[in-house]
Amino acid sequence: SRAFGEKFSAAVQLNYLYTYIGDGYGTSGSVAAELGVIYEAFPGFQIGAHIFNPTRTRVSDLAPDRLPTIFRFGAAYQFSERVLATIETEKDLDKDPVFKAGIEYGITEQLFVRAGLGTHPTTNAFGLGLYLGNLKIDIATSFHHVLGYSPQVSLRYSFQ
């Protein structure tokens, strides 16, 4: 990633995706790229765009299946020191668009509560964030009407 001034940043990422299916089906590996940009239009308001797999990489040389190509466009607005609202639209080339919205509320400088909604299919999410100096812990769950709950945990440490 790289900042181009105080208001614009861009990033490129390469992913190696490895698939293993046992019982004689074999393995496959492929490389997919991601590109993203973010711009601070004015203080507290950011807009961004992201594309995953712009080259339409195949899952394997032996199958016609391709990894999804997904476009995302979103915005975030910091209403106050404690309240952040986000919106996003996501479009997989092979599926209908998905719209998402979320809100984060800082109970204290270290503790955050988050909630979000998504469409097509309808999903909702809830989470907590705890920031302890350089250590950041995020715990969340989302609910999908077919798949049920999907818990998630993130631990991040910044060496600064």
Side-chain angles (χ1 to χ4, degrees):
S1 66
R2 178 160 168 88
F4 297 93
E6 292 183 15
K7 295 189 174 275
F8 182 77
S9 297
V12 176
Q13 178 174 312
L14 293 176
N15 305 300
Y16 180 74
L17 303 166
Y18 178 79
T19 304
Y20 169 79
I21 302 174
D23 296 331
Y25 289 101
T27 63
S28 176
S30 54
V31 176
E34 296 184 53
L35 310 166
V37 294
I38 192 163
Y39 176 71
E40 184 175 16
F42 54 86
F45 182 72
Q46 297 176 328
I47 56 175
H50 177 265
I51 181 170
F52 173 79
N53 191 29
T55 59
R56 306 255 317 140
T57 301
R58 290 182 185 270
V59 173
S60 91
D61 294 334
L62 303 175
D65 298 331
R66 296 185 181 275
L67 295 170
T69 296
I70 301 172
F71 298 91
R72 291 182 179 100
F73 180 78
Y77 184 67
Q78 189 84 43
F79 283 95
S80 69
E81 288 183 19
R82 294 185 183 256
V83 179
L84 172 70
T86 62
I87 58 169
E88 176 185 288
T89 184
E90 176 183 293
K91 176 65 175 110
D92 182 326
L93 286 183
D94 299 327
K95 297 181 181 175
D96 291 334
V98 176
F99 300 98
K100 302 174 185 177
I103 193 158
E104 174 185 89
Y105 177 72
I107 296 171
T108 67
E109 289 185 18
Q110 293 83 27
L111 182 62
F112 298 86
V113 176
R114 300 179 183 112
L117 299 170
T119 65
H120 202 72
T122 301
T123 57
N124 54 56
F126 176 79
L128 298 170
L130 182 61
Y131 295 0
L132 304 170
N134 292 349
L135 177 64
K136 296 182 178 175
I137 303 167
D138 290 298
I139 300 170
T141 188
S142 59
F143 180 79
H144 183 279
H145 69 284
V146 174
L147 301 175
Y149 288 98
S150 296
Q152 301 134 37
V153 175
S154 169
L155 298 172
R156 294 175 288 167
Y157 188 83
S158 298
F159 296 95
Q160 294 178 353

